[in-house]
Amino acid sequence: MTPPPRRTLPRLSVYGITLALVTVLGVPACTQEKPRPAPSAAASPALTTPQAELLALTRFTNYRRGTAQVTADIPVQGKSARLTGRLDWRHGTGLALLQIDGGARDQGRHLLGWNRTTVSMQRDWTGPLPAHPPQGGWIEHPLTARASTVDTTLLLLLDLAANRPDNAQLLLRSGARHLGSEKVDGIPVTVFAGPSATTPPGAVREAARTVPGRTRYWIDADGRLRRFSAHLGRGTDWLVATLSA
């Protein structure tokens, strides 16, 4: 597969692209095996300056890191899905296996390759994840957040990297929250709730009074994102993605 030309999305401040993707969906969804619930942001403290600086550097750290392995549990209406594969943040592409629960062993297991504009699929993939996209046999469609929770997940995973840091001062006024400390795969992390909303300059004060955002970030002491979660539906329906080298 030769990926189609990459289209650069307009850069929005304060994790704006992520917020825009998450808020376009209002589709009810459920999973057979629920991932660990995202921590609540209710009554959590606002960010300190060092915490805002850590969060502001996270996507840039991912970009410099270049690539990552990802395992994501995705809420899909009436079913559950697990995505397992690789992200290439420098080139804005991903390659992964998508397993839909409820099918036979090799049915409902598909190979996906995607960039910011297009997702390509090879249905009922029986082999392991290939080192490189195979030639031929792909079914393609435009990648849009409104299409499905899977499409939204693919875009969100690519949006976890940026070629420059975010604005820490805006994050301080964005409604982002510090949720505490946990461990991911034995590694201590700080957990944050993302910004409340995408707001134009001058409206951040109002945003800070709204409910904290629909995203969660688990970041280690080196600024590496170890886990990411996003609310893609109603109730307790959260995407949960774990990232590793």
Side-chain angles (χ1 to χ4, degrees):
M1 178 188 68
T2 301
R6 179 181 174 183
R7 182 179 66 189
T8 302
L9 296 179
R11 181 180 175 83
L12 304 177
S13 63
V14 197
Y15 289 57
I17 297 173
T18 300
L19 286 163
L21 292 173
V22 172
T23 55
V24 295
L25 289 181
V27 181
C30 64
T31 57
Q32 295 175 4
E33 294 184 4
K34 294 284 185 183
R36 182 177 179 179
S40 172
S44 298
L47 302 184
T48 64
T49 296
Q51 290 165 353
E53 290 171 348
L54 177 64
L55 185 57
L57 283 171
T58 297
R59 296 201 303 157
F60 184 53
T61 299
N62 285 343
Y63 181 82
R64 290 188 301 178
R65 176 180 169 187
T67 62
Q69 303 293 317
V70 61
T71 300
D73 290 295
I74 307 170
V76 178
Q77 190 171 7
K79 299 178 182 179
S80 63
R82 171 161 286 193
L83 185 80
T84 307
R86 297 189 301 273
L87 302 172
D88 184 338
W89 282 314
R90 290 283 182 88
H91 295 93
T93 61
L95 185 68
L97 296 173
L98 180 69
Q99 177 70 56
I100 306 294
D101 283 358
R105 180 175 180 179
D106 293 329
Q107 294 177 342
R109 184 171 179 265
H110 314 305
L111 178 66
L112 302 182
W114 74 98
N115 59 25
R116 294 185 184 273
T117 62
T118 305
V119 58
S120 303
M121 173 187 290
Q122 296 212 16
R123 299 182 61 86
D124 298 330
W125 183 264
T126 58
L129 182 71
H132 304 283
Q135 297 294 322
W138 295 95
I139 301 170
E140 296 185 353
H141 72 262
L143 186 56
T144 171
R146 295 183 182 275
S148 69
T149 52
V150 172
D151 278 21
T152 302
T153 296
L154 301 181
L155 286 167
L156 286 171
L157 292 175
L158 293 184
D159 188 49
L160 294 176
N163 61 5
R164 63 181 183 270
D166 288 283
N167 189 316
Q169 292 302 310
L170 287 179
L171 282 171
L172 282 170
R173 305 189 299 272
S174 71
R177 291 290 185 267
H178 173 225
L179 301 183
S181 300
E182 294 183 11
K183 288 187 177 181
V184 175
D185 296 331
I187 299 170
V189 294
T190 303
V191 189
F192 298 100
S196 300
T198 303
T199 55
V204 290
R205 188 173 302 171
E206 180 65 27
R209 292 196 291 267
T210 65
V211 176
R214 298 159 64 96
T215 54
R216 302 289 184 267
Y217 303 84
W218 286 254
I219 303 170
D220 68 18
D222 296 324
R224 290 180 57 176
L225 184 64
R226 297 287 177 169
R227 181 172 291 159
F228 168 76
S229 187
H231 189 214
L232 300 186
R234 301 189 183 118
T236 59
D237 300 319
W238 288 77
L239 154 71
V240 179
T242 301
L243 303 152
S244 60

